[in-house]
Amino acid sequence: MTPTKNRRIVLAARPKGEPKDSDFRLEEVDIPSPGDGQVLLRNLYLSLDPYMRGRMSAGPSYAAPVPLDGVMEGGTVGEVLESKSPVLGAGDIVLAYTGWQEYAVAPADAVRKLDPAAAPVSTALGVLGMPGMTAYTGLLNLGQPKPDETVVVAAAAGAVGSAVGQIAKIKGCRAVGIAGGAAKCEYVRQELGFDACVDHRSLSFVDELKAACPQGVDVYFENVGGAVLKAVVPLLNNFARMPVCGLIAHYNMSALPSGPDWSPALMAAVLTKRLTLRGFIVTDFEAQRGEFYREMSAWFRTGRMKYREDVVEGIENAVGSFEGLLCGRNFGKLLVRLAR
Ligand SMILES: NC(=O)c1ccc[n+]([C@@H]2O[C@H](COP(=O)([O-])OP(=O)(O)OC[C@H]3O[C@@H](n4cnc5c(N)ncnc54)[C@H](OP(=O)(O)O)[C@@H]3O)[C@@H](O)[C@H]2O)c1
């Protein structure tokens, strides 16, 4: 039977601190029809990413927030059910940005056709998509790793961090990961091939990190901020580089933390060690998309770039899974499977 209803998740309230279930609403609406130049998509995968926490807040940011009662934004991989465009046909699989919903209409020129024979289509949301490109462009342009240097990255078992460390290894560096818990650290060392991985929840984390970086740290790829950043800064070498990619430990903060102001110590390190810190958004490097795709695909095909997905089933589990992403319950690139 042809489905007629679309289930989608809208933002019902702007979260204060950690997002909670009542900040979202699952709605059932009619499936839309495509107009000229558009396609109707049945979404197969929805990507859940930390940046979505920013879209839930109204404060100033690099992108506009999702409006209240608006469908939550997000990258998707979908199958074309109906096409009113000459460039796509029913059955094509595409990468799109249609948000937290099972069906969507999109302009054909706003989606990218995928080749399911080249790689599993879900990788277009992970290692061969936005998170992979974030790792590639941020590390190579801003981190500028050189052979034998030490590269440290946190959230190392996740979508971005796992690729950062593997690219660092390909470039001849010592790769040190930081991750939450023994299982993730074991995976980062054994499966991904990092030289070391330290558990940021360990009581002796600061000492263990120091022991894992006997030559200091030349590149710190910043994904988390908070206590991890505080532990890394004393280990940074002169002229170290810090691509500031994400600060996930801060995303649920609604006020500055109490306690001593740490910024003078941080700025003293920036000055005396002549550090380079630069924030970036992956779209800053849009011109390198082709190069990223060529190089990352080659590493992927030859087994030098491994990845792990954490796939949850059904749109009704998107909210809980997103809440878990912000506190480390995911293990690998977090995806919601919406259809098979
Ligand atoms: N600048 C850009 O354009 C851009 C693009 C994509 C992603 N990002 C950023 O890159 C970072 C990683 O994103 P991702 O998609 O790869 O997510 P991910 O690593 O797959 O998942 C997030 C991970 O962050 C870690 N984490 C959460 N709270 C933490 C805390 N307080 N301290 C330490 N670690 C914590 C958890 O891992 P553990 O269990 O290991 O702690 C969690 O699994 C995020 O900060 C994200 O915002 C930036």
Side-chain angles (χ1 to χ4, degrees), residues 49-51 130 134 155 158-161 178-180 184 200-201 223-224 228 245-249 251 280-282 325-328 330 332:
D49 298 275
Y51 75 83
M130 184 278 284
T134 301
V160 175
I178 298 169
K184 287 186 181 179
H200 66 86
R201 298 210 196 101
N223 273 338
V224 305
V228 172
C245 172
L247 296 165
I248 196 166
Y251 291 173
F280 74 102
I281 303 298
V282 59
L325 176 70
L326 298 176
C327 54
N330 64 307

Side-chain angles (χ1 to χ4, degrees), residues 92-93 122 127 154 196 212 221 239 253 315 325:
D92 284 344
I93 307 290
S122 58
V127 63
F221 191 101
F239 302 103
M253 281 181 188
I315 189 92
L325 176 70

Side-chain angles (χ1 to χ4, degrees), residues 98-130:
T98 58
W100 297 25
Q101 55 185 336
E102 293 177 323
Y103 295 88
V105 157
D109 59 7
V111 307
R112 181 162 68 81
K113 187 172 166 179
L114 299 173
D115 176 4
V121 292
S122 58
T123 58
L125 296 168
V127 63
L128 298 180
M130 184 278 284

Side-chain angles (χ1 to χ4, degrees), residues 19-300:
K20 50 189 187 309
D21 296 358
S22 58
D23 295 326
F24 306 89
R25 196 171 57 243
L26 180 63
E27 292 183 344
E28 205 170 271
V29 294
D30 289 341
I31 294 177
S33 300
D36 279 350
Q38 295 183 327
V39 288
L40 171 64
L41 300 172
R42 182 174 70 116
N43 285 332
L44 305 175
Y45 290 100
L46 163 68
S47 178
L48 293 179
D49 298 275
Y51 75 83
M52 293 166 172
R53 179 64 186 85
R55 300 289 197 281
M56 295 169 192
S57 299
S61 187
Y62 63 92
V66 171
L68 286 177
D69 299 322
V71 177
M72 274 303 306
E73 286 180 17
T76 46
V77 163
E79 179 190 0
V80 175
L81 286 187
E82 191 184 338
S83 176
K84 295 242 172 92
S85 156
V87 296
L88 289 169
D92 284 344
I93 307 290
V94 298
L95 173 68
Y97 196 75
T98 58
W100 297 25
Q101 55 185 336
E102 293 177 323
Y103 295 88
V105 157
D109 59 7
V111 307
R112 181 162 68 81
K113 187 172 166 179
L114 299 173
D115 176 4
V121 292
S122 58
T123 58
L125 296 168
V127 63
L128 298 180
M130 184 278 284
M133 183 158 155
T134 301
Y136 179 90
T137 56
L139 180 63
L140 298 184
N141 289 300
L142 307 182
Q144 301 190 357
K146 294 166 198 65
D148 299 325
E149 286 191 331
T150 298
V151 174
V152 171
V153 63
V160 175
S162 60
V164 167
Q166 292 181 87
I167 297 169
K169 288 303 296 175
I170 289 168
K171 297 294 172 186
C173 301
R174 175 175 172 79
V176 177
I178 298 169
K184 287 186 181 179
C185 287
E186 165 96 359
Y187 163 74
V188 167
R189 278 190 304 264
Q190 299 299 330
E191 299 287 323
L192 301 181
F194 285 42
D195 297 281
C197 187
V198 183
D199 180 356
H200 66 86
R201 298 210 196 101
S202 161
L203 293 176
S204 49
F205 166 61
V206 172
D207 292 336
E208 289 173 42
L209 184 63
K210 189 173 177 190
C213 304
Q215 307 299 324
V217 177
D218 302 292
V219 180
Y220 174 51
F221 191 101
E222 172 63 303
N223 273 338
V224 305
V228 172
L229 172 64
K230 242 180 181 167
V232 172
V233 167
L235 305 178
L236 292 172
N237 291 329
N238 288 344
F239 302 103
R241 288 81 66 198
M242 193 191 301
V244 181
C245 172
L247 296 165
I248 196 166
H250 307 185
Y251 291 173
N252 284 329
M253 281 181 188
S254 42
L256 288 175
S258 56
D261 178 2
W262 185 59
S263 58
L266 175 63
M267 293 311 288
V270 170
L271 173 63
T272 57
K273 298 184 187 194
R274 288 85 100 203
L275 306 178
T276 304
L277 280 68
R278 207 192 112 180
F280 74 102
I281 303 298
V282 59
T283 46
D284 298 343
F285 299 110
E286 191 53 42
Q288 293 173 5
R289 180 171 293 278
E291 169 197 324
F292 151 72
Y293 193 70
R294 271 191 306 282
E295 204 157 21
M296 200 72 152
S297 303
W299 293 332
F300 177 83

